[in-house]
Amino acid sequence: MSESFEESPESAAREPVASSASNPHLSEPKVRAEAPLVLVETAFLASTASLIWLVNYYFPLGPLLRIFFPVPIALLYLRWGKRAAWMAALVSGLLLSVLMGPPRSIQFLIPYGLLGVLLGACWRRQTGWAVSICLGTLLGTIGFFFRFWLVSILLGEDVWVYLITQVTQMLEWVFLKLGLLIEPSLVAIQVFAVGMVLLSNLVYLLVVHLAAWLLLERLGNPIPQPPNWIQVLLDYEE
Protein backbone atom coordinates (compact mmCIF):
# COMPACT_ATOMS: atom_id res chain seq x y z
CA MET A 1 0.00 0.00 0.00
CA SER A 2 2.83 2.40 0.75
CA GLU A 3 4.19 1.95 -2.70
CA SER A 4 0.89 3.11 -4.25
CA PHE A 5 1.14 6.47 -2.49
CA GLU A 6 4.75 7.15 -3.61
CA GLU A 7 5.27 9.42 -6.58
CA SER A 8 7.28 8.03 -9.41
CA PRO A 9 10.25 10.10 -10.69
CA GLU A 10 8.59 10.47 -14.11
CA SER A 11 5.41 12.01 -12.69
CA ALA A 12 7.42 14.35 -10.50
CA ALA A 13 9.46 15.48 -13.46
CA ARG A 14 6.35 16.15 -15.54
CA GLU A 15 4.65 18.39 -12.99
CA PRO A 16 6.77 21.56 -13.46
CA VAL A 17 6.51 21.28 -17.25
CA ALA A 18 2.73 21.01 -17.13
CA SER A 19 2.41 23.91 -14.74
CA SER A 20 4.66 26.16 -16.82
CA ALA A 21 2.76 25.30 -19.98
CA SER A 22 -0.60 25.97 -18.39
CA ASN A 23 0.50 29.28 -16.88
CA PRO A 24 1.69 31.73 -19.58
CA HIS A 25 2.55 34.35 -16.97
CA LEU A 26 5.69 32.40 -16.04
CA SER A 27 7.32 33.61 -19.27
CA GLU A 28 6.92 37.25 -18.26
CA PRO A 29 10.22 37.45 -16.30
CA LYS A 30 12.10 36.45 -19.44
CA VAL A 31 10.36 39.18 -21.46
CA ARG A 32 11.05 41.71 -18.71
CA ALA A 33 14.70 40.66 -18.62
CA GLU A 34 15.05 41.17 -22.39
CA ALA A 35 13.44 44.62 -22.42
CA PRO A 36 16.45 46.48 -20.89
CA LEU A 37 18.78 44.62 -23.25
CA VAL A 38 16.78 45.79 -26.26
CA LEU A 39 16.89 49.39 -25.05
CA VAL A 40 20.63 49.24 -24.37
CA GLU A 41 21.48 47.72 -27.75
CA THR A 42 19.16 50.15 -29.53
CA ALA A 43 20.84 53.13 -27.90
CA PHE A 44 24.33 51.72 -28.47
CA LEU A 45 23.87 50.85 -32.15
CA ALA A 46 22.00 54.10 -32.86
CA SER A 47 24.87 56.08 -31.37
CA THR A 48 27.34 53.92 -33.33
CA ALA A 49 25.60 54.73 -36.62
CA SER A 50 25.57 58.44 -35.73
CA LEU A 51 29.24 58.37 -34.72
CA ILE A 52 30.28 56.72 -37.99
CA TRP A 53 28.44 59.44 -39.95
CA LEU A 54 29.91 62.19 -37.76
CA VAL A 55 33.50 60.94 -38.05
CA ASN A 56 33.18 60.46 -41.79
CA TYR A 57 31.86 64.00 -42.21
CA TYR A 58 34.66 65.75 -40.30
CA PHE A 59 37.47 63.23 -41.00
CA PRO A 60 36.60 61.57 -44.32
CA LEU A 61 38.45 58.31 -44.90
CA GLY A 62 37.23 57.76 -48.42
CA PRO A 63 34.58 55.08 -48.94
CA LEU A 64 35.71 53.01 -45.93
CA LEU A 65 33.34 54.34 -43.27
CA ARG A 66 30.54 54.93 -45.77
CA ILE A 67 30.24 51.18 -46.19
CA PHE A 68 29.11 50.82 -42.57
CA PHE A 69 26.47 53.59 -42.52
CA PRO A 70 23.45 51.21 -42.64
CA VAL A 71 25.06 48.19 -40.93
CA PRO A 72 24.34 49.01 -37.22
CA ILE A 73 20.63 49.53 -37.88
CA ALA A 74 20.48 46.39 -40.01
CA LEU A 75 22.20 44.45 -37.22
CA LEU A 76 19.60 45.69 -34.77
CA TYR A 77 16.83 44.47 -37.07
CA LEU A 78 18.47 41.05 -37.21
CA ARG A 79 18.66 40.84 -33.42
CA TRP A 80 15.43 42.45 -32.21
CA GLY A 81 13.12 43.08 -35.16
CA LYS A 82 11.65 46.05 -36.98
CA ARG A 83 10.51 48.07 -33.97
CA ALA A 84 14.04 48.31 -32.56
CA ALA A 85 15.46 49.12 -36.01
CA TRP A 86 12.98 51.96 -36.60
CA MET A 87 13.69 53.31 -33.13
CA ALA A 88 17.44 53.24 -33.83
CA ALA A 89 16.97 55.07 -37.14
CA LEU A 90 14.89 57.79 -35.48
CA VAL A 91 17.25 58.10 -32.50
CA SER A 92 20.23 58.41 -34.86
CA GLY A 93 18.45 61.17 -36.76
CA LEU A 94 17.60 63.03 -33.55
CA LEU A 95 21.15 62.71 -32.24
CA LEU A 96 22.65 64.00 -35.48
CA SER A 97 20.09 66.79 -35.51
CA VAL A 98 21.42 67.95 -32.14
CA LEU A 99 25.08 67.56 -33.10
CA MET A 100 25.05 68.73 -36.73
CA GLY A 101 21.69 70.29 -37.42
CA PRO A 102 18.51 69.00 -39.09
CA PRO A 103 19.78 69.12 -42.72
CA ARG A 104 22.67 66.75 -41.98
CA SER A 105 20.48 64.44 -39.93
CA ILE A 106 17.94 64.23 -42.76
CA GLN A 107 20.73 63.38 -45.20
CA PHE A 108 21.70 60.48 -42.95
CA LEU A 109 18.15 59.28 -42.38
CA ILE A 110 17.42 59.37 -46.12
CA PRO A 111 18.73 57.06 -47.41
CA TYR A 112 21.09 55.38 -44.93
CA GLY A 113 18.72 55.07 -41.97
CA LEU A 114 15.97 53.70 -44.19
CA LEU A 115 18.51 51.54 -45.98
CA GLY A 116 19.53 49.92 -42.69
CA VAL A 117 15.89 49.03 -41.96
CA LEU A 118 15.40 47.69 -45.49
CA LEU A 119 18.53 45.54 -45.46
CA GLY A 120 17.76 44.23 -41.98
CA ALA A 121 14.27 43.20 -43.11
CA CYS A 122 15.63 41.45 -46.20
CA TRP A 123 18.39 39.68 -44.32
CA ARG A 124 16.11 38.52 -41.50
CA ARG A 125 13.71 37.05 -44.06
CA GLN A 126 16.65 35.31 -45.78
CA THR A 127 16.04 37.20 -49.02
CA GLY A 128 18.53 36.57 -51.78
CA TRP A 129 21.28 39.05 -52.54
CA ALA A 130 19.80 39.93 -55.93
CA VAL A 131 16.52 41.14 -54.41
CA SER A 132 18.06 43.02 -51.48
CA ILE A 133 20.70 44.68 -53.67
CA CYS A 134 18.11 45.78 -56.23
CA LEU A 135 15.79 47.18 -53.56
CA GLY A 136 18.71 48.91 -51.85
CA THR A 137 19.90 50.36 -55.16
CA LEU A 138 16.46 51.78 -55.84
CA LEU A 139 16.25 53.30 -52.35
CA GLY A 140 19.79 54.67 -52.59
CA THR A 141 19.02 56.30 -55.94
CA ILE A 142 15.89 57.92 -54.54
CA GLY A 143 17.91 59.14 -51.57
CA PHE A 144 20.57 60.56 -53.90
CA PHE A 145 18.07 62.70 -55.76
CA PHE A 146 16.37 63.68 -52.51
CA ARG A 147 19.69 64.97 -51.18
CA PHE A 148 20.26 66.87 -54.45
CA TRP A 149 16.85 68.46 -54.07
CA LEU A 150 17.49 69.33 -50.41
CA VAL A 151 20.92 70.83 -51.09
CA SER A 152 19.51 72.81 -54.02
CA ILE A 153 16.89 74.34 -51.71
CA LEU A 154 19.47 75.16 -49.04
CA LEU A 155 21.93 76.72 -51.50
CA GLY A 156 19.33 78.42 -53.66
CA GLU A 157 20.87 76.89 -56.79
CA ASP A 158 20.07 73.89 -58.96
CA VAL A 159 22.86 71.42 -58.16
CA TRP A 160 21.60 69.06 -60.85
CA VAL A 161 22.70 71.57 -63.49
CA TYR A 162 26.22 71.45 -62.08
CA LEU A 163 26.20 67.65 -62.26
CA ILE A 164 24.95 67.69 -65.85
CA THR A 165 27.72 70.13 -66.76
CA GLN A 166 30.34 67.83 -65.29
CA VAL A 167 28.92 64.79 -67.08
CA THR A 168 28.83 66.73 -70.36
CA GLN A 169 32.49 67.67 -70.05
CA MET A 170 33.40 64.08 -69.26
CA LEU A 171 31.50 62.72 -72.28
CA GLU A 172 33.06 65.32 -74.58
CA TRP A 173 36.51 64.32 -73.32
CA VAL A 174 35.77 60.63 -73.90
CA PHE A 175 34.47 61.28 -77.42
CA LEU A 176 37.51 63.41 -78.17
CA LYS A 177 39.89 60.66 -77.04
CA LEU A 178 37.99 58.13 -79.15
CA GLY A 179 38.09 60.43 -82.17
CA LEU A 180 34.30 60.68 -82.40
CA LEU A 181 32.85 63.94 -83.63
CA ILE A 182 29.63 63.55 -81.68
CA GLU A 183 27.89 66.13 -79.56
CA PRO A 184 25.70 64.37 -76.98
CA SER A 185 22.15 65.61 -76.59
CA LEU A 186 20.75 66.83 -73.30
CA VAL A 187 18.46 63.80 -72.98
CA ALA A 188 21.37 61.41 -73.55
CA ILE A 189 23.45 63.25 -70.95
CA GLN A 190 20.69 63.05 -68.35
CA VAL A 191 20.10 59.36 -69.04
CA PHE A 192 23.82 58.74 -68.71
CA ALA A 193 23.91 60.66 -65.41
CA VAL A 194 21.02 58.64 -63.99
CA GLY A 195 22.73 55.45 -65.15
CA MET A 196 25.91 56.48 -63.34
CA VAL A 197 23.92 57.08 -60.14
CA LEU A 198 22.27 53.65 -60.43
CA LEU A 199 25.60 51.97 -61.12
CA SER A 200 27.35 53.66 -58.20
CA ASN A 201 24.54 52.65 -55.83
CA LEU A 202 24.61 49.10 -57.18
CA VAL A 203 28.34 48.81 -56.50
CA TYR A 204 27.86 50.39 -53.07
CA LEU A 205 25.15 47.89 -52.09
CA LEU A 206 27.29 44.99 -53.27
CA VAL A 207 30.20 46.17 -51.12
CA VAL A 208 27.87 46.68 -48.13
CA HIS A 209 26.61 43.11 -48.52
CA LEU A 210 30.15 41.78 -48.66
CA ALA A 211 31.20 43.72 -45.56
CA ALA A 212 28.08 42.65 -43.65
CA TRP A 213 28.53 39.04 -44.72
CA LEU A 214 32.08 38.96 -43.37
CA LEU A 215 31.35 40.98 -40.22
CA LEU A 216 27.93 39.91 -38.98
CA GLU A 217 28.69 36.21 -39.30
CA ARG A 218 31.42 36.67 -36.69
CA LEU A 219 28.97 38.51 -34.43
CA GLY A 220 26.54 35.60 -34.47
CA ASN A 221 23.97 37.24 -36.77
CA PRO A 222 24.79 35.96 -40.26
CA ILE A 223 23.09 37.26 -43.37
CA PRO A 224 22.08 35.03 -46.31
CA GLN A 225 24.91 33.42 -48.19
CA PRO A 226 26.12 35.19 -51.36
CA PRO A 227 25.71 33.72 -54.83
CA ASN A 228 28.06 30.92 -55.77
CA TRP A 229 30.06 33.05 -58.17
CA ILE A 230 30.95 35.46 -55.36
CA GLN A 231 32.03 32.61 -53.10
CA VAL A 232 34.17 31.19 -55.89
CA LEU A 233 35.60 34.62 -56.64
CA LEU A 234 36.59 35.11 -53.00
CA ASP A 235 37.67 31.48 -52.65
CA TYR A 236 35.27 31.08 -49.72
CA GLU A 237 35.12 27.75 -47.96
CA GLU A 238 32.41 26.90 -45.48
Side-chain angles (χ1 to χ4, degrees):
M1 295 293 293
S2 61
E3 295 178 357
S4 62
F5 292 98
E6 293 180 356
E7 294 184 352
S8 63
E10 295 179 356
S11 62
R14 285 196 298 268
E15 286 183 359
V17 177
S19 62
S20 61
S22 61
N23 190 1
H25 296 287
L26 294 178
S27 61
E28 291 183 359
K30 182 180 180 181
V31 176
R32 293 175 181 175
E34 287 182 350
L37 183 59
V38 176
L39 292 176
V40 170
E41 289 195 11
T42 301
F44 176 76
L45 291 175
S47 61
T48 301
S50 303
L51 183 62
I52 294 174
W53 173 269
L54 185 68
V55 172
N56 184 78
Y57 179 77
Y58 289 107
F59 306 100
L61 300 176
L64 179 61
L65 291 179
R66 186 169 174 262
I67 297 172
F68 298 99
F69 285 168
V71 173
I73 298 176
L75 174 60
L76 198 60
Y77 199 116
L78 289 173
R79 291 182 59 82
W80 300 111
K82 62 180 180 180
R83 185 175 184 274
W86 280 112
M87 287 296 296
L90 293 176
V91 170
S92 299
L94 291 175
L95 182 59
L96 288 174
S97 179
V98 173
L99 296 176
M100 306 177 68
R104 296 296 178 186
S105 65
I106 294 175
Q107 291 182 39
F108 168 79
L109 188 61
I110 303 175
Y112 298 109
L114 300 179
L115 188 60
V117 177
L118 174 65
L119 293 180
C122 292
W123 293 341
R124 186 164 183 172
R125 291 172 174 79
Q126 297 297 309
T127 306
W129 280 35
V131 176
S132 58
I133 288 177
C134 290
L135 292 177
T137 300
L138 180 61
L139 179 59
T141 303
I142 295 173
F144 176 85
F145 287 108
F146 173 80
R147 283 182 292 167
F148 256 67
W149 171 76
L150 181 62
V151 172
S152 298
I153 292 178
L154 295 176
L155 296 179
E157 298 179 0
D158 192 354
V159 185
W160 179 250
V161 175
Y162 174 76
L163 177 63
I164 293 299
T165 302
Q166 298 298 318
V167 172
T168 303
Q169 293 178 358
M170 183 185 69
L171 288 178
E172 290 177 351
W173 179 81
V174 171
F175 291 157
L176 181 62
K177 291 296 182 182
L178 295 177
L180 301 175
L181 299 178
I182 300 176
E183 183 176 354
S185 63
L186 180 60
V187 176
I189 294 171
Q190 291 181 344
V191 171
F192 183 78
V194 174
M196 288 181 58
V197 174
L198 285 169
L199 181 61
S200 63
N201 279 280
L202 180 66
V203 174
Y204 172 72
L205 263 297
L206 178 60
V207 176
V208 169
H209 276 68
L210 288 173
W213 175 51
L214 297 174
L215 176 63
L216 299 186
E217 185 176 7
R218 290 165 173 77
L219 296 178
N221 298 99
I223 69 173
Q225 293 295 313
N228 292 329
W229 66 271
I230 294 181
Q231 298 188 30
V232 173
L233 185 63
L234 298 177
D235 194 20
Y236 177 76
E237 295 181 0
E238 296 184 357

